[in-house]
Amino acid sequence: DAQFGLLTTVFLLVYGFLSPFGGYFADRYSRKMVIVISLFVWSGVTLWTGFVNTFPEMLTARAIMGVSEACYIPAAVAMIIDYHKGPTRSLASGILMSGLYAGMALGGAGGYIAELWGWRFGFHLFGIIGLIYAGLLFFILKDAQKEHAGTDLLQDKKAEKRNDPKIPIPELLRSLFASFSYRIILIYGSLLGMTFWVIYAWLPTYFKDGFNLSLGAAGISATAFIQAASFIGVIAGGIVADRWSGKNVKGRVYIMAIGFIIGGPFLFLMSSTLVFGIAIASIIIFGLAKGFHDANFMPVISQVVDQRYRATGYGIMSFFSVMAGGFMIYIGGALKDAGISLSLVFQISAVGVLLSGLILLLIRPRKES
């Protein structure tokens, strides 16, 4: 248990600490190259993990995996925003995030894969697939063209200055943290980080112990239902938010807020009931709310921060979110070791989800660009 916890902690520390840098590189240089290189690294490390023989090797692999994740996600979500404007922005962002659901759902089936073919097989398979896919992306993926404000020479020069990637870091930080709405996003992201990472880390254990499930059944129950519901949530939440935002500048914010104001109480119900069916139904409702969030989070950030700093803004938010989540994972384990039920941890998280939905209403987004 201690070694497993250390693997998770190292990954989160590296991922969280380097996320702002990954975002900065995506803003400063090519989003395409950041994505492709991070995928090559992720795939190579995944393949290598299937060959490790010692715990220090595994620990190193998890640390490098954190580097890859820190670079990929800010660049990917920012590229989606570059290509998709108001009418398709939330739906496109949600579809991108749905790929993570598939990965997590497959992770929940890891126990079955290990039983059938051994634990190394999955790492070998997905590592090779990832390397091939990264090679294809190098030739297929293109950075979006930078937009200019007008056609005359003076406007072009102003546009070039705005799009100049050589922005001093102090200016970048001042621009982000001077925004009241961006500071609200950091608080919101931290609260959700505590909840999301606790669910990823401890929900299989909670289902296994609380409902007497096998390891494989607990893993599937804790991942498949919530990820399937989240996929439906990103589609429905993305479509509705895209339409609502055309009529109200806060449309995307409202969709996220509604989701978590409803999802928080259902997460509390999941952690309070003794009936497995009710627990699954509740986690499905929470999964829908999470989908509303995933479809709209980066679009909302793009309404708050300067367009030159979108990936960096997302990366800094990830730093706060992941660090808060890692702290909550540790607290959950410490409470469990002290004999306190994980249900209390999830109940506290549910209150945080409800509060995050209310906090969202304080955001004052700008008209989209």
Side-chain angles (χ1 to χ4, degrees):
D1 288 346
Q3 288 186 332
F4 176 78
L6 183 59
L7 289 172
T8 303
T9 299
V10 166
F11 170 78
L12 290 178
L13 286 175
V14 174
Y15 172 33
F17 181 76
L18 293 181
S19 285
F21 298 95
Y24 177 75
F25 292 146
D27 284 332
R28 174 67 175 80
Y29 302 105
S30 163
R31 304 205 202 289
K32 167 193 169 177
M33 291 310 301
V34 171
I35 291 170
V36 171
I37 291 172
S38 67
L39 183 54
F40 266 119
V41 172
W42 181 91
S43 303
V45 172
T46 299
L47 181 61
W48 173 42
T49 301
F51 293 99
V52 301
N53 294 305
T54 66
F55 180 73
E57 286 182 304
M58 181 67 78
L59 197 63
T60 302
R62 290 299 291 169
I64 299 175
M65 189 71 77
V67 177
S68 172
E69 290 285 330
C71 292
Y72 168 76
I73 295 179
V77 293
M79 177 174 276
I80 289 293
I81 297 300
D82 290 342
Y83 273 106
H84 290 269
K85 307 305 177 184
T88 58
R89 183 165 278 180
S90 286
L91 181 58
S93 299
I95 291 173
L96 169 70
M97 299 303 292
S98 69
L100 300 179
Y101 306 157
M104 292 174 185
L106 286 173
Y112 291 122
I113 293 175
E115 290 175 2
L116 291 174
W117 298 293
W119 70 270
R120 297 179 186 273
F121 175 81
F123 289 101
H124 294 159
L125 176 63
F126 292 113
I128 293 172
I129 292 174
L131 288 171
I132 295 172
Y133 185 57
L136 291 175
L137 282 184
F138 178 79
F139 295 101
I140 296 173
L141 204 60
K142 304 293 182 183
D143 284 308
Q145 294 293 320
K146 294 178 179 178
E147 296 183 356
H148 288 256
T151 57
D152 63 54
L153 182 60
L154 179 60
Q155 287 178 318
D156 283 346
K157 287 182 178 179
K158 290 180 179 179
E160 287 174 4
K161 184 177 180 181
R162 282 195 301 271
N163 289 321
D164 182 4
K166 298 177 181 179
I167 302 297
I169 292 179
E171 180 182 332
L172 180 153
L173 295 176
R174 281 195 300 269
S175 174
L176 291 174
F177 286 94
S179 168
F180 169 79
S181 294
Y182 184 69
R183 296 196 298 270
I184 292 297
I185 283 176
L186 295 181
I187 296 172
Y188 165 80
S190 298
L191 285 172
L192 288 188
M194 294 179 183
T195 301
F196 290 172
W197 287 106
V198 162
I199 288 176
Y200 298 153
W202 292 112
L203 192 58
T205 301
Y206 176 74
F207 278 165
K208 178 179 179 294
D209 296 342
F211 298 102
N212 297 315
L213 302 179
S214 67
L215 182 61
I220 290 293
S221 299
T223 55
F225 290 105
I226 191 172
Q227 304 307 339
S230 294
F231 179 76
I232 296 173
V234 297
I235 301 300
I239 292 173
V240 173
D242 283 334
R243 293 179 178 176
W244 198 350
S245 66
K247 301 176 181 178
N248 189 314
V249 71
K250 294 188 71 171
R252 303 188 199 281
V253 173
Y254 288 146
I255 288 295
M256 295 168 65
I258 290 170
F260 283 127
I261 290 171
I262 295 173
F266 274 96
L267 181 62
F268 192 94
L269 176 61
M270 183 279 297
S271 58
S272 305
T273 185
L274 298 176
V275 180
F276 182 65
I278 295 177
I280 291 298
S282 299
I283 204 65
I284 287 174
I285 299 298
F286 176 74
L288 287 170
K290 183 179 179 298
F292 289 1
H293 159 87
D294 289 344
N296 290 287
F297 194 31
M298 187 58 179
V300 168
I301 289 178
S302 71
Q303 289 183 271
V304 171
V305 306
D306 188 303
Q307 64 179 346
R308 295 170 295 174
Y309 313 139
R310 286 169 176 167
T312 308
Y314 189 95
I316 292 174
M317 180 284 306
S318 290
F319 169 81
F320 284 93
S321 180
V322 171
M323 291 303 180
F327 174 75
M328 195 63 181
I329 289 175
Y330 172 78
I331 293 297
L335 291 175
K336 185 174 183 297
D337 290 342
I340 299 175
S341 173
L342 284 174
S343 64
L344 177 61
V345 177
F346 287 121
Q347 288 168 358
I348 294 172
S349 299
V351 173
V353 169
L354 178 60
L355 288 176
S356 69
L358 297 173
I359 287 173
L360 271 173
L361 298 175
L362 298 175
I363 294 176
R364 301 190 292 264
R366 299 189 300 262
K367 186 177 180 180
E368 292 180 318
S369 59

